[in-house]
Amino acid sequence: AKEAGRDGFQFYTAEMNTKVHERLALQEAMRHGIAHCEFYLLYQPQVDLQTGRIFAVEALVRWKHPTQGVISPVHFIPLAEETGLIVPLGDWVLNEACRQNKAWQDAGLSPVNVSVNVSGRQFHEKNWICRVTRALRESGMEARYLELELTESLLMRNVDQAIATMKELQALGVHFAIDDFGTGYSSLSALKNLPVARLKIDQSFIRNLARDENDRGIAAAVISLGQRLNMRVIAEGVETDEQFAFLHDNHCDEIQGYHFSRPIKSKAIEDLLRSQTAM
Ligand code: C2E
Ligand code: CA
Ligand code: CA
Ligand code: CA
């Protein structure tokens, strides 16, 4: 029994060591990757349902690992948040997104907003407001073209603090969206006090719209709720004609999803914006 116990224990530590080792290796590779510009941004159009025009693009980060190829953010953002590497990485994303959007504007394309995802770790950094201000100053992009996407769970963790920070940035002209709406625990009283321009209905409610009557109920209710609170409502993960038709019929303001476009490289966005400038 003692032997088995010892083996069990050794097995456990060996496995733990592997896990810890893998995490350390990933962390180290990420640190290296940040220093060596292995990260890049794709952009996904956000489209006005009435006009069909692109009014914004969401910046979505990718990691081109030298040996493993392109890595999705779902595989490295959580560790980046745990280790704090999200702070330098997030800074890079913010700066690059603002720089790129200003470059499109300078090239004479019809101006759009750029949406940037912000994690809790970034948002609660002491000098967060200063980091945003710097990105705006250094890019020369006007603050009103920047939208920051915050998840519901981030916002609800410390609502009063979040509102204070948001109000300071809002005074500069920055806008906010609540990302993944419906997956966290928003209290309605908190929601009404948040300085938020846009609600993003989480894709989990959009995915089964055609099959699930409850999801249709939720989507329709969130559309009304947001609009009653003077927010624009955008549905994400819109892939099919059926989903599109439902959202259109229920007066959703905007859509984002493969139905219109996948996340694409900046050059491809440029072509889309150019054809819409010509319209
Ligand atoms: P998110 O902010 O909810 O972004 C939407 C995700 O849905 C993106 O995945 C996008 O590619 C995907 N998507 C868009 N349209 C469709 C569709 O029609 N169908 C389906 N099935 N998926 C669609 P992605 O790019 O892999 O990003 C995953 C998550 O990683 C993001 O979810 C966000 O939470 C995080 N993330 C990405 N970039 C950043 C970043 O720069 N900073 C931070 N903090 N998080 C980021
Ligand atoms: Ca987002
Ligand atoms: Ca989302
Ligand atoms: Ca999400």
Side-chain angles (χ1 to χ4, degrees), residues 81 86 118-125 150-151 154 157:
E81 283 176 1
I86 193 68
V118 177
S119 82
R121 185 82 178 243
Q122 287 174 275
F123 187 77
H124 290 116
E125 278 281 290
L150 309 173
T151 62
L154 181 168
R157 221 170 294 148

Side-chain angles (χ1 to χ4, degrees), residues 9 13 64 103 132 147 151 155 168 178 190 203 208 222 249:
F9 181 68
T13 51
K64 190 160 183 345
V132 177
E147 182 155 291
T151 62
L155 288 169
E168 272 195 61
I178 304 186
Q203 15 186 315
N208 301 317
V222 171
D249 294 347

Side-chain angles (χ1 to χ4, degrees), residues 178 181 186-199 221-233 253:
I178 304 186
F181 186 76
S186 283
S187 81
L188 294 176
S189 57
L191 191 62
K192 85 173 179 194
N193 290 319
L194 288 171
V196 164
R198 182 166 280 105
L199 271 191
V222 171
I223 294 168
S224 315
L225 173 67
Q227 291 173 346
R228 282 299 188 93
L229 296 175
N230 289 318
M231 299 169 186
R232 304 276 292 172
V233 179
D253 297 297

Side-chain angles (χ1 to χ4, degrees), residues 46 58-60 115-117 149 179-180 200 236 256:
Q46 300 182 340
E58 178 176 0
L60 294 159
S115 294
V116 174
N117 292 286
E149 296 195 0
D179 204 355
D180 302 347
K200 300 192 79 175
E236 41 174 6
Q256 178 179 353

Side-chain angles (χ1 to χ4, degrees), residues 1-178:
K2 204 176 171 194
E3 288 295 307
R6 181 175 289 163
D7 282 343
F9 181 68
Q10 283 173 349
F11 175 72
Y12 181 62
T13 51
E15 193 175 63
M16 257 177 51
N17 277 334
T18 315
K19 279 257 155 56
V20 168
H21 184 80
E22 275 173 8
R23 282 167 49 89
L24 280 174
L26 182 60
Q27 189 179 333
E28 204 35 54
M30 240 162 71
R31 204 185 300 282
H32 180 272
I34 294 169
H36 292 81
C37 305
E38 290 171 11
F39 292 85
Y40 64 97
L41 297 180
L42 294 181
Y43 299 89
Q44 188 176 36
Q46 300 182 340
V47 176
D48 187 301
L49 248 174
Q50 289 303 315
T51 64
R53 289 175 70 88
I54 301 168
F55 68 91
V57 294
E58 178 176 0
L60 294 159
V61 70
R62 298 290 182 270
W63 179 10
K64 190 160 183 345
H65 189 279
T67 56
Q68 292 176 41
V70 178
I71 306 178
S72 152
V74 299
H75 298 303
F76 61 82
I77 291 286
L79 184 65
E81 283 176 1
E82 271 175 58
T83 57
L85 280 173
I86 193 68
V87 175
L89 180 61
D91 265 353
W92 178 81
V93 169
L94 181 65
N95 281 279
E96 175 60 15
C98 293
R99 185 204 62 75
Q100 178 63 75
N101 200 33
K102 179 69 163 89
W104 285 326
Q105 294 176 3
D106 289 346
L109 302 168
S110 61
V112 293
N113 290 351
V114 68
S115 294
V116 174
N117 292 286
V118 177
S119 82
R121 185 82 178 243
Q122 287 174 275
F123 187 77
H124 290 116
E125 278 281 290
K126 283 216 171 54
N127 55 0
W128 166 241
I129 292 172
C130 174
R131 287 164 186 272
V132 177
T133 315
R134 193 187 306 136
L136 291 169
R137 184 173 2 99
E138 288 180 358
S139 66
M141 187 187 76
E142 284 178 59
R144 65 187 165 113
Y145 293 116
L146 178 62
E147 182 155 291
L148 299 174
E149 296 195 0
L150 309 173
T151 62
E152 206 181 0
S153 37
L154 181 168
L155 288 169
M156 294 304 142
R157 221 170 294 148
N158 185 344
V159 184
D160 294 338
Q161 173 66 52
I163 291 177
T165 304
M166 291 164 82
K167 288 215 161 131
E168 272 195 61
L169 285 168
Q170 193 191 36
L172 302 173
V174 175
H175 302 285
F176 292 93
I178 304 186

